[in-house]
């Protein structure tokens, strides 16, 4: 069974996208993240609750360190965010937007589960 877990994905995008296996979905504990190298890019993959997955660039835009996957997952209003472990700015996991400083936003990427594996496609 295949589930595309980003609401902005379309079937046309799904068929032309290049997907990279990251890890088994069960290897990511709920409300935590992991770092993966996808096509030479550091990507943070987060599991929120039992079955929602998000992927954003892992590099903290303020420091340049590859650490966002280690941040705390939470919410601000109706937005699911990760707090950078270094400067504590909040990044929206759906869009990659930095709440406090939009100029520090990162890219968000498509995520799906295929055969029990988390897969990421860069946007």
């Amino acid at each position: 069974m295949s589930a595309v877990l980003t609401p902005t994905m379309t079937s046309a995008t799904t068929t032309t996208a290049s997907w990279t296996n990251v890890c088994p979905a069960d290897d990511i504990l709920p409300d935590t993240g992991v770092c993966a190298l996808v096509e030479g890019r550091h990507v943070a993959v987060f599991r929120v609750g039992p079955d929602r997955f998000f992927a954003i660039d892992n590099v903290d835009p303020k420091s340049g360190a590859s650490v966002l996957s280690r941040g705390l997952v939470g919410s601000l209003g109706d937005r699911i965010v990760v707090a950078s472990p270094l400067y504590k700015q909040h990044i929206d996991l759906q869009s990659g937007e930095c709440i406090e400083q939009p100029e520090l936003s990162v890219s968000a990427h498509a995520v799906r589960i295929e055969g029990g594996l988390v897969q990421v496609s860069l946007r």
Side-chain angles (χ1 to χ4, degrees):
M1 184 170 118
S2 171
V4 177
L5 301 172
T6 54
T8 57
M9 290 289 297
T10 65
S11 60
T13 304
T14 302
T15 58
T16 60
S18 172
W19 294 94
T20 300
N21 292 337
V22 172
C23 66
D26 290 340
D27 283 359
I28 306 175
L29 297 174
D31 303 318
T32 66
V34 298
C35 180
L37 192 60
V38 177
E39 297 179 30
R41 190 172 186 161
H42 290 216
V43 174
V45 180
F46 296 92
R47 181 177 190 169
V48 178
D51 60 1
R52 294 181 72 191
F53 293 83
F54 300 90
I56 60 173
D57 287 343
N58 193 44
V59 176
D60 179 284
K62 193 166 186 174
S63 70
S66 189
V67 297
L68 292 181
S69 63
R70 295 190 232 158
L72 295 175
V73 175
S75 61
L76 291 175
D78 61 349
R79 298 174 91 172
I80 300 170
V81 299
V82 63
S84 169
L86 297 176
Y87 292 103
K88 311 306 182 220
Q89 71 268 26
H90 296 93
I91 308 290
D92 184 306
L93 292 180
Q94 182 105 21
S95 67
E97 179 185 10
C98 178
I99 307 297
E100 294 83 5
Q101 295 177 278
E103 67 275 11
L104 296 179
S105 297
V106 299
S107 294
H109 307 289
V111 181
R112 71 181 184 184
I113 305 301
E114 185 74 37
L117 293 175
V118 177
Q119 296 181 331
V120 173
S121 180
L122 299 181
R123 292 193 181 167

